[in-house]
Every structure is written in structure tokens, then in C-alpha cells.
């Protein structure tokens, strides 16, 4: 799905942009990272999706995932200009464990990360969050809405994911630009508050 915002006039940044921030979009396999980056990017997003083959059936768990035929093998990349002076570069990381080293390298220079989660497979988010904590990269969690997936109160999700009280938790639909924007704003506000505290 190409970005709804992509156009020839949106390729170049305004001259007023003074600050650029790198944000990671991470999560387990098939949680919606490519869709999320694509729904937000104002330029045609870079995608490295390949068709899944029978050889991958032994390493990619497709249980509970209907219609999944492609997977990201390197990264997704998109851009979103938040204001006249601030632009975000979005890096979507592949979710399979065999790509962990790749997205560890992608954390270099990142301001923070948005962890996408799926209520049908919350346990698969632990490894991602643990790695971010080991690397000292702050994050927020966005529960991506999937049709037919169970909905739980935020308190139960927080408890299930063992989130710290200050870690933001939001529900979003990665297919929807407005919903994805709210999730990203939640992360940016959290990161801004942390930076402000560090400079007090």
C-alpha cells in the first residue's frame, strides 16, 4: 500500500526544517510495521518485502495469521514532517528473531521506538521490549487493532506486558493515518518529556 500522502511535491523537505529525529517502528513478526510506516509516510515508503516461501515455514510462525504472503527482509523507511522545523524519519525493523542483529544496528542514532503489539500474541512482544531496554532506548507501546482480535482494558495489557507506569500505551489501527499519527505523537511527547527532564 503506497502512502496516501506521497506526491511529487512532498519529496523535498522545506528549507525551514532544522531538526530531524530517527524513530524505530519495531515489533514481532506480522504485527503491522510495514503498514504503519506506509500509512504515515509523506514520501513513497521504501520497502524490502519479499514473498514468503515454503522454506520459511520452518522459522516463521504463521499461526493465527491469515493472508500473510510477504515479509520484510531488511527494513521499511518513511518520512513525516511534523512542523515547519521538525521531520521524523521512520525505520521499520523486520520482526523475525533471525533479523535481531540488523535492527540492533538500526537503533544507532534513534531517539526512541514505537513497539507495535497484537493482543492475540502479546507474549511475542517481550523479546522486543527486553532488547530495547538492554540498549537503553526509550519506547512506547501501540496495540495494533486487527479485525477479530480480542480487546482488553489498558490495565490488563499493561500487566500482561509488565510495563512501567511511565511507559505510554495506546491503541491504534496501523491502516489508518489518523490513528497511526496519534500513536506516533504519543511517543514523541513521551520522548520530549524525557529530554526535558534530563536537562532540568
Amino acid at each position: 500500500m503506497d502512502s496516501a500522502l506521497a506526491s511529487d511535491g512532498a519529496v523535498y523537505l522545506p528549507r525551514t526544517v532544522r531538526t530531524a529525529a530517527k524513530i524505530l517502528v519495531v515489533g514481532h513478526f506480522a504485527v503491522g510495521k510495514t503498514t504503519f510506516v506506509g500509512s504515515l509516510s509523506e514520501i513513497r515508503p521504501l520497502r524490502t518485502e519479499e514473498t514468503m516461501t515454503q522454506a520459511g515455514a520452518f522459522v516463521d510462525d504463521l499461526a493465527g495469521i491469515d493472508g500473510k504472503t510477504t515479509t520484510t527482509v531488511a527494513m521499511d523507511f518513511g518520512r513525516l514532517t511534523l512542523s515547519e522545523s521538525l521531520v521524523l524519519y521512520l525505520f521499520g525493523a523486520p520482526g523475525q528473531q533471525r533479523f535481531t542483529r540488523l535492527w540492533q544496528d538500526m537503533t544507532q542514532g534513534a531517539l526512541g521506538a514505537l513497539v507495535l503489539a497484537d493482543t492475540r500474541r502479546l507474549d511475542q512482544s517481550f523479546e522486543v521490549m527486553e532488547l530495547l531496554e538492554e540498549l537503553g532506548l526509550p519506547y512506547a507501546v501501540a496495540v495494533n487493532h486487527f479485525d477479530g482480535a480480542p480487546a482488553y482494558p489498558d490495565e490488563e495489557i499493561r500487566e500482561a506486558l509488565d510495563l512501567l507506569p511511565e511507559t505510554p500505551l495506546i491503541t491504534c489501527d496501523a491502516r489508518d493515518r489518523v490513528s497511526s499519527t496519534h500513536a506516533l505523537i504519543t511517543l514523541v511527547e513521551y520522548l520530549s518529556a524525557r529530554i526535558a527532564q534530563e536537562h532540568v
Side-chain angles (χ1 to χ4, degrees):
M1 172 174 106
D2 289 331
S3 168
L5 299 179
S7 68
D8 293 340
V11 173
Y12 300 104
L13 283 175
R15 295 183 180 181
T16 54
V17 170
R18 295 289 177 265
T19 305
K22 178 181 181 181
I23 299 293
L24 297 188
V25 180
V26 299
H28 57 73
F29 174 60
V31 76
K33 300 177 294 293
T34 297
T35 301
F36 184 91
V37 172
S39 72
L40 283 175
S41 183
E42 65 197 11
I43 59 174
R44 186 180 300 277
L46 168 68
R47 294 197 172 119
T48 57
E49 286 193 303
E50 294 293 337
T51 301
M52 299 177 67
T53 65
Q54 196 63 34
F58 300 103
V59 289
D60 295 330
D61 183 8
L62 292 174
I65 304 169
D66 296 325
K68 179 75 172 169
T69 59
T70 62
T71 187
T72 299
V73 296
M75 68 173 185
D76 301 303
F77 174 77
R79 189 189 78 199
L80 179 62
T81 304
L82 284 189
S83 70
E84 291 182 353
S85 60
L86 174 63
V87 65
L88 299 182
Y89 291 110
L90 307 175
F91 289 78
Q96 296 96 317
Q97 189 173 13
R98 63 184 181 276
F99 294 119
T100 297
R101 180 58 186 268
L102 172 64
W103 76 260
Q104 277 181 294
D105 293 339
M106 290 170 61
T107 63
Q108 297 298 316
L111 190 62
L114 185 68
V115 178
L116 293 186
D118 179 352
T119 58
R120 299 168 299 181
R121 299 174 289 149
L122 284 177
D123 59 311
Q124 295 185 27
S125 297
F126 288 124
E127 185 176 356
V128 173
M129 294 187 301
E130 287 172 2
L131 190 51
L132 291 173
E133 289 166 6
E134 288 175 12
L135 296 168
L137 194 66
Y139 62 89
V141 176
V143 176
N144 189 15
H145 172 75
F146 288 90
D147 296 335
Y152 301 104
D154 285 357
E155 296 76 17
E156 291 186 19
I157 294 175
R158 280 189 167 279
E159 184 176 354
L161 293 176
D162 196 24
L163 297 181
L164 294 173
E166 62 269 23
T167 302
L169 174 67
I170 189 170
T171 300
C172 76
D173 185 335
R175 300 166 295 186
D176 182 75
R177 176 176 162 253
V178 173
S179 179
S180 297
T181 299
H182 287 157
L184 193 61
I185 288 173
T186 297
L187 171 63
V188 171
E189 289 177 342
Y190 172 59
L191 297 175
S192 297
R194 284 177 56 96
I195 292 171
Q197 281 186 335
E198 291 171 1
H199 289 86
V200 170

